Amino acid sequence: MKLTIRAKLLIGFTILLVLSSSIIAVAFLITKQYISSQIDVFQTDQVDKGTTAVTDFFSTVNLDNFGLASLLGSQYDTAGTFSKSEIALLMNYILKSKNYLNEITILSPVGKELLTYNTSGLKSENTLNYEIQSEPFQSAVMGTSSLSKVYFIETDTGPYVDMYSPIFGKDGAVVGIIKTQVKLTQLQQAINIIKLGQNGSLYVVDDEGRLISHKTDSFLATRPNLGSRPLIHDILQGISVSKNNERYINENDIDVVGKAGRIPGYNWVVVFEQPVEDAYGFLNFLATMFLGTLVGSMAFLLLISYILSENLTRSIRKLEQSASLLEQGKLVTNIDIKSGDEIETLSHSFSTMVNRLVQREQSLQHEKQETETLLQSLTDGVISVDQQGKIITFNKAAEKVTGFSVAEVLGKNVDEILQFYHTQELVPFVTYSQQTDDMRKKLRDEGLHLSTKEGQKVSLSLTTSPVIFSDQKNGFIISFHDISKEQELEEMKLDFVSMAAHELRTPLTAIRGYASLLQLQNANQLDDAGKELIKRLVVSGETLGNLIENLLSVSRIERSMFTVDARPVDLTTTIKNVVDNVRPQANTKKQTVNILVPDQLPIVNADSFRIGQVVLNLVANAVNYTQPGGTITLKAEQKDNNVQISVSDTGQGIPPDALQKLFTKFFRVSGKLEKGSKGTGLGLYISKSIIEMHKGKIWVESTVGTGTTFSFTLPIATPSEIAAFQQKHDLTAKNGHVIMGKKL
């Protein structure tokens, strides 16, 4: 495709724009990737800080329990009791100084509550009870501090957790358990110390997904379970969190992005979330800046390209306008371009070209008229179609044959107008336009029947030729002529030949019979001249009989009444019998006849009588057209899945221009080969028909002055065909053991 200068300039600037945009895009992607990674680092760091704050909070609680347990252990007397008055004072001090503690209980190793002190004071001994033997309690009895599961109190909104710590006696044994009730609402105070950035928040959920710490007390008071959030669900399940699950809509219907991490030792999850607008605000700014830069670059480059193309292509546009007028058929030869450069020279050349084009157009119009006149004067119908099968030309002869006018058919599909039939089968254009040998032969020899506009059937001889430009098919030319009268004449000729042959056969039979009777009974009464006349009479009768049989065979072939009885057969005997029949004639001319047949010639599917006719015809021709002393060779051999039989001679050879017509009816080679020959030109035509009926091929190779070789092939019979034939023809008598059959 040719491009204008303006288009090339625009393409150049576009390439420059694409390159610059690509560089900006790559820089933006690198920056975006870096900032995204920094956002991930920041959010992960916040999660780590939250995890540390929770861990430190419970480390403090554990340390306080440890200090209290140490004091209690030192006061544990030998009687196995504590000094309650001193412990009460200590607990009162701890509860007032540690606002995250709500209640402290001292338990015996078996779980009995010995002392309970809360913000209201010391509980009455009547209200003391036994502790449930929970897993955290059992861990404390075994000497290890442990946390209970998170729980809620009906009268309080905040969640709680109990810490169990062992009290060791002076001998190192566990003498009691300290149970401290921890208010988790105070955990948020430790988290609030962390700088979370603008609108960022940290919250904590337990191992069941329940919210236990959040900056919004009202939301915490609803005691929500956030385990269904994909981010928290994946962390609790130990699944790797995908990027899609890190983004969700929070309780305030805000699109947020978060990170989460498990707290070691507690199986709780710390979540940091941040509004998407805050997290990726800078990235959005960069994207806006990128688009603005890109749009600005495009506008600037388009402006520059327009200015440059305007100045550079003004003269070219004038020339283009003249070309457009020329395309419209307006031949303007005066082009006023005075640019002082190559464009002005080009305009002069263009004017010269237009002048020549005017002359050429006039010449083409004249040629078109002549071609149209010639096309319309043709006696054959001519139709041209394009690649889609639509009619673009329709001459008068086609109108006459089909009954359609030009106006009715132009632009229509050819199958809508030309409905061809072979016997009773509709033949579409895609079929008869194929240029195979079989199709060309069928169209040439048999023709097709056309259904005209009035519904009449007309026999046509059809020819299709592709229209080829630059090695590509651009349509087809369909030519045809009416052969109805020719077929009638051919039918009359076949009827006459058949009738004449049948009528001649009866008197000829009598003549041949009387001639043979004279030759047998009266030969001794005649002199040599008389004997020679009778001999000639017998030979002439046989010749005339062969001619009549050939004429009848041709008539049967033309009427498709000529049949062959193909069956599995060994042709070795047939070949030898033919040679034995012609050998006397060859001996009279001192010719040598060679037979080259293998001992095991494959079985073929053939009619032995008809193939014998073919071989006899070929060998007899070789004897007739080979000079005295020549050599004739008959050879049979296997070629792939066929048996090939060849008859070669050392005669005069056949001229190249006669080879193509050699197998047609009544054709005889003119020249030296014709002298002395009494043939009718039907033998090879009949032979070719017989071989084709056997699904074989026949051909000839000849060199003038050297000799000729006729060859034909027959398909080898398959084992299944041989078995089927044997099963059909091997009959066993029901009343005896005699088997009648033919051994193959």
Side-chain angles (χ1 to χ4, degrees), residues 181-229:
Q181 188 182 57
V182 183
K183 295 185 290 185
L184 293 181
T185 54
Q186 301 300 319
L187 178 61
Q188 188 62 37
Q189 296 179 3
I191 294 175
N192 289 339
I193 301 174
I194 304 171
K195 295 181 179 181
L196 301 177
Q198 184 180 6
N199 298 324
S201 65
L202 273 169
Y203 60 90
V204 184
V205 299
D206 66 359
D207 56 346
E208 295 180 2
R210 297 177 295 176
L211 183 66
I212 60 177
S213 178
H214 196 276
K215 69 177 182 179
T216 305
D217 293 337
S218 60
F219 181 57
L220 181 64
T222 62
R223 300 178 183 180
N225 190 312
L226 305 180
S228 60
R229 288 182 177 177

Side-chain angles (χ1 to χ4, degrees), residues 435-716:
Q435 299 300 301
T436 61
D437 292 339
D438 291 342
M439 181 55 64
R440 279 196 293 265
K441 181 179 183 299
K442 181 181 291 185
L443 296 179
R444 183 182 63 250
D445 298 343
E446 303 178 22
L448 295 175
H449 298 293
L450 172 68
S451 178
T452 65
K453 181 180 179 180
E454 292 76 17
Q456 298 179 351
K457 293 293 190 296
V458 180
S459 298
L460 299 179
S461 176
L462 187 70
T463 303
T464 60
S465 302
V467 179
I468 299 176
F469 293 112
S470 301
D471 297 331
Q472 292 185 351
K473 288 185 179 180
N474 290 271
F476 285 87
I477 297 293
I478 305 172
S479 61
F480 53 84
H481 65 272
D482 190 347
I483 59 171
S484 300
K485 294 183 178 180
E486 296 177 11
Q487 287 186 340
E488 291 177 3
L489 291 174
E490 184 68 20
E491 191 70 21
M492 291 173 62
K493 182 178 68 174
L494 291 176
D495 290 340
F496 173 76
V497 170
S498 178
M499 181 182 64
H502 280 290
E503 292 298 327
L504 289 174
R505 177 184 285 179
T506 302
L508 178 61
T509 302
I511 293 173
R512 293 173 65 180
Y514 289 133
S516 298
L517 185 62
L518 286 173
Q519 191 176 31
L520 291 174
Q521 296 183 0
N522 301 321
N524 296 330
Q525 302 175 12
L526 300 174
D527 55 10
D528 292 340
K531 293 179 181 179
E532 182 64 25
L533 289 175
I534 293 177
K535 181 179 179 181
R536 290 182 181 181
L537 179 61
V538 172
V539 171
S540 297
E542 292 178 354
T543 302
L544 184 57
N546 291 333
L547 173 60
I548 291 173
E549 288 300 323
N550 286 342
L551 289 173
L552 290 173
S553 296
V554 170
S555 177
R556 296 189 191 103
I557 291 171
E558 294 291 333
R559 296 175 181 271
S560 300
M561 297 172 61
F562 192 89
T563 59
V564 295
D565 182 16
R567 61 181 65 188
V569 62
D570 185 352
L571 293 180
T572 304
T573 303
T574 301
I575 293 172
K576 291 181 179 179
N577 290 338
V578 169
V579 173
D580 290 341
N581 289 335
V582 300
R583 194 180 296 277
Q585 183 181 353
N587 290 337
T588 59
K589 298 180 68 174
K590 298 182 180 180
Q591 294 171 338
T592 302
V593 180
N594 298 321
I595 301 178
L596 302 178
V597 180
D599 295 335
Q600 296 295 328
L601 187 65
I603 303 299
V604 295
N605 257 335
D607 185 330
S608 60
F609 174 74
R610 297 299 185 189
I611 297 303
Q613 283 184 288
V614 174
V615 177
L616 178 61
N617 183 55
L618 297 180
V619 176
N621 284 346
V623 172
N624 290 333
Y625 294 110
T626 301
Q627 64 275 18
T631 301
I632 294 133
T633 302
L634 196 154
K635 181 179 180 182
E637 58 184 332
Q638 181 177 352
K639 289 291 185 70
D640 298 328
N641 295 325
N642 298 288
V643 168
Q644 179 175 316
I645 299 175
S646 303
V647 177
S648 304
D649 61 50
T650 57
Q652 296 294 325
I654 302 172
D657 57 349
L659 293 177
Q660 297 296 327
K661 302 178 181 179
L662 204 58
F663 293 99
T664 58
K665 291 182 294 185
F666 302 110
F667 178 78
R668 299 186 62 210
V669 181
S670 60
K672 294 182 179 180
L673 294 179
E674 192 176 17
K675 296 179 179 179
S677 172
K678 299 180 181 179
T680 60
L682 296 175
L684 292 178
Y685 172 77
I686 296 173
S687 297
K688 183 175 183 294
S689 300
I690 292 173
I691 296 301
E692 289 179 348
M693 289 180 184
H694 283 82
K695 298 180 182 179
K697 294 182 180 180
I698 186 169
W699 67 94
V700 61
E701 298 170 343
S702 181
T703 303
V704 177
T706 301
T708 303
T709 299
F710 283 88
S711 304
F712 66 88
T713 59
L714 296 171
I716 296 175

Side-chain angles (χ1 to χ4, degrees), residues 282-303:
F282 186 63
L283 277 179
N284 294 334
F285 168 75
L286 284 180
T288 303
M289 186 176 66
F290 166 72
L291 290 176
T293 304
L294 183 62
V295 172
S297 300
M298 289 177 62
F300 176 74
L301 289 174
L302 287 174
L303 178 61

